Amino acid sequence: MTHKKIQLLTSAFAAFVLGLSASAHAQTGKPLLIGQTYVQTGPLASLSTEPLIGIRAMFTTLNANGGINGRPVELRQLDDAYDPAKGAENVKTFAKDGAIGVLMPIGTSSAVGAIKAANELKIPVVGAYTGAGPVVKFTDYSFPVRISFDEEYSRIVNHLFTIGLSRIAFAHNDNPGARSAMESTQKFIAERGDKMVGSVAIKNDGSDAAERAAELAKLKPKAVVLSATNDVAAKFITAYRAAGGETAFYSFSFLNGQKLFQDIKKDAAGVVISQVVPYPWNSAMPVIAEYQAAMKKIGVNEFGYASLEGYVAAKVMVEGLKRAGANPTPESLQKGLESFKTLDIGGIAVSYRPGEHRGLTFSELSMLKADGRYLR
């Protein structure tokens, strides 16, 4: 069997895994190849679960409706295990295979590696699933969709000082992205003329969460800001409450409130989460109605912020491809994205232009109620 035939079989299998093969076979155009490097293995693999569902919903519906100019989109995915070097290597593999762009690297380390390689290879990266400084910093080939961690934590700190909670501590996963979030929060508190009460770094598997919770509870903060994965946050919050600590918990947008409630029930009540995409149950907003319909088409009836963010990032990629000409290339995709200026994608606006890749400006705070639903 020739190498070319092996490649074609591999592509077909990848499409099948994503639930895209039926629609792809119904079309005659050559697939438009998009790559995604993401965390499939290791303690941070749960970061990928929900966003990937939203991405699959978007591309499945798109391909069922004829793709882009009669050409289906094929998403090829590779695991980077949250290793920046592997993320970079995956992008090089995608480029070698003819990918036009790279969609939503998951997590800071993965995205840093992916963007570094993408700028060298001149291939656009859209919607990295992180708001860390090195990722949202302008480069010619990085197109962030969500707001930055700095913006998220600045808004959380402003809110806390507004309601009179200035005794603030921080708990975070022991990784670069989460650490940078802590440092940003520390800076924003200092700008208010105050100091962070203290901070703890928790192992990525959460094995020392109880110990770190007891350590932080002794400092008696009025608010604890979190930059932690769901499993770590669940262990930490439960242990903190068990230690008798009384505080308000505030988290950045990676925390899945529904899952947190499933894991720790009443201990999740009152946790406030920053959100970087709109309320996923507000079907009056066109992009939400579209997202909900696409999710139902792949048999998923549970909606959430993370899957919506995956859907929105994929939609931004698709809008760029539609503006990239009859035969899209990495160069024409970059120009297509920068032609947005400010583009309404169904009730929210994405801004890209030469020299400025702003993405969304959206954010809001939501609180988990005792029944696991959100209060906005």
Side-chain angles (χ1 to χ4, degrees), residues 71-297:
R71 298 175 66 179
V73 172
E74 178 190 330
L75 182 65
R76 189 171 299 173
Q77 297 168 305
L78 290 172
D79 178 26
D80 56 46
Y82 204 67
D83 179 348
K86 185 62 178 171
E89 193 60 38
N90 288 347
V91 169
K92 291 174 184 176
T93 298
F94 297 141
K96 185 178 177 182
D97 290 346
I100 300 162
V102 175
L103 177 65
M104 204 178 218
I106 302 289
T108 300
S109 292
S110 306
V112 165
I115 290 169
K116 183 177 185 297
N119 278 293
E120 292 170 1
L121 297 165
K122 299 183 178 180
I123 180 170
V125 176
V126 173
Y129 194 52
T130 171
V135 176
V136 298
K137 179 183 177 183
F138 175 81
T139 66
D140 287 333
Y141 291 90
S142 176
F143 290 83
V145 172
R146 59 160 44 224
I147 63 170
S148 70
F149 287 163
D150 270 11
E151 288 177 277
E152 279 198 73
Y153 286 107
S154 173
R155 294 176 192 190
I156 288 173
V157 169
N158 286 342
H159 171 77
L160 288 172
F161 272 85
T162 299
I163 64 174
L165 297 181
S166 59
R167 191 171 172 78
I168 302 167
F170 204 100
H172 62 93
N173 273 53
D174 193 4
N175 64 56
R179 197 173 305 112
S180 74
M182 180 275 291
E183 291 165 354
S184 293
T185 304
Q186 196 171 41
K187 177 186 72 175
F188 295 131
I189 293 170
E191 287 174 359
R192 291 278 192 156
D194 219 319
K195 288 184 178 180
M196 185 182 283
V197 173
S199 67
V200 292
I202 309 161
K203 290 179 182 177
N204 287 325
D205 63 3
S207 58
D208 63 344
E211 186 180 347
R212 299 286 81 79
E215 180 183 329
L216 206 61
K218 289 177 183 176
L219 302 177
K220 297 185 172 9
K222 294 296 184 183
V224 173
V225 182
L226 300 167
S227 178
T229 54
N230 259 80
D231 291 344
V232 168
K235 291 174 182 176
F236 180 84
I237 292 169
T238 300
Y240 193 98
R241 297 208 193 280
E246 292 185 8
T247 189
F249 287 102
Y250 283 74
S251 173
F252 77 147
S253 51
F254 279 3
L255 192 66
N256 182 329
Q258 295 151 290
K259 186 177 186 307
L260 186 69
F261 176 77
Q262 290 169 7
D263 290 344
I264 63 175
K265 297 297 187 284
K266 63 181 177 58
D267 281 341
V271 173
V272 177
I273 305 172
S274 165
Q275 308 294 358
V276 297
V277 289
Y279 190 64
W281 298 271
N282 178 20
S283 56
M285 184 179 285
V287 71
I288 304 299
E290 184 186 300
Y291 152 78
Q292 290 182 357
M295 291 284 279
K296 289 174 182 176
K297 282 183 180 177

Side-chain angles (χ1 to χ4, degrees), residues 18-20 23 27 53-68 73 289-299 311 318:
L18 286 163
L20 306 180
S23 54
Q27 298 165 61
I53 295 171
I55 290 170
R56 181 161 63 91
M58 176 68 206
F59 287 142
T60 300
T61 298
L62 174 79
N63 288 342
N65 292 333
I68 298 173
V73 172
E290 184 186 300
Y291 152 78
Q292 290 182 357
M295 291 284 279
K296 289 174 182 176
K297 282 183 180 177
I298 62 168
Y311 184 88
V318 167

Side-chain angles (χ1 to χ4, degrees), residues 325-348:
N327 294 295
T329 63
E331 182 183 6
S332 70
L333 174 59
Q334 183 208 30
K335 287 182 167 53
L337 289 162
E338 289 186 338
S339 74
F340 282 12
K341 301 301 187 270
T342 299
L343 178 69
D344 187 317
I345 58 170
I348 49 176

